Amino acid sequence: PAMTIAKIEKLEELHFCWSLDWRERTWHDQYTASVEFYKEHGHAQVKKKDNPSLYNWIQSQGKRYKALKGHKPLSEEELDLLEQIDFGFFKDQPRTSWNKMYTELETFRGENDGRFPDHKDDPIMLNSWIRQQRNRMRSS
């Protein structure tokens, strides 16, 4: 029998990985470990001596995020997941977290009678982010 949406959503709350590829499952396992660390400590600054495997994984994600030579770039899905946690490698980077931009959009709409930004006088980062969301939706 097919799985219900409710069961699928419950599994996804646990960051269940649907992939049969061991590399993707390993990535998701490490991601889940970083989420648990974040929940427990309020940050994702893992020390090498405390958890060498997770420390190395986080360092590797930072290299992938910065698209350093020899490192496979992060997928959009991986990037979206990583942006939900405050990783140090996101600081001072041009890409802004989805949640932060969503909050800015809510604030903008609250201050502008519920309208979405679409004028040249509106914040350029917010306009750019909205355009990016529309493009992502079309390509989904």
Side-chain angles (χ1 to χ4, degrees):
M3 190 177 296
T4 65
I5 291 175
K7 288 180 180 178
I8 291 170
E9 288 173 350
K10 284 185 86 66
L11 286 171
E12 288 181 345
E13 285 175 15
L14 299 174
H15 304 286
F16 184 82
C17 179
W18 299 100
S19 176
L20 299 176
D21 182 337
W22 66 270
R23 288 173 292 249
E24 287 183 36
R25 285 196 316 271
T26 300
W27 191 94
H28 280 273
D29 288 346
Q30 290 287 48
Y31 173 76
T32 300
S34 66
V35 168
E36 294 305 317
F37 184 93
Y38 182 81
K39 285 179 181 175
E40 185 176 333
H41 301 282
H43 62 81
Q45 309 308 312
V46 178
K47 293 183 178 150
K48 190 171 190 172
K49 65 179 181 155
D50 295 337
N51 189 333
S53 175
L54 187 56
Y55 172 86
N56 289 334
W57 181 82
I58 290 171
Q59 295 301 308
S60 177
Q61 302 319 297
K63 291 174 182 173
R64 292 179 65 205
Y65 174 74
K66 294 173 184 170
L68 296 179
K69 189 172 182 173
H71 295 275
K72 176 185 165 195
L74 292 166
S75 70
E76 283 297 316
E77 177 194 4
E78 291 169 339
L79 197 48
D80 288 342
L81 288 170
L82 290 173
E83 285 181 333
Q84 296 175 21
I85 302 175
D86 184 24
F87 285 103
F89 54 82
F90 286 130
K91 292 185 181 9
D92 302 321
Q93 294 295 324
R95 187 177 170 113
T96 307
S97 80
W98 192 93
N99 290 333
K100 180 178 179 212
M101 293 306 294
Y102 180 82
T103 301
E104 286 186 30
L105 177 60
E106 283 184 314
T107 301
F108 180 91
R109 292 190 72 210
E111 295 170 352
N112 292 276
D113 299 320
R115 80 171 177 85
F116 285 91
D118 60 359
H119 303 292
K120 64 178 181 178
D121 297 332
D122 293 336
I124 191 165
M125 287 291 290
L126 200 50
N127 274 329
S128 176
W129 183 79
I130 288 172
R131 202 168 31 257
Q132 185 181 54
Q133 302 317 301
R134 288 179 176 138
N135 288 336
R136 282 184 176 175
M137 181 61 180
R138 279 188 216 115
S139 66
S140 295

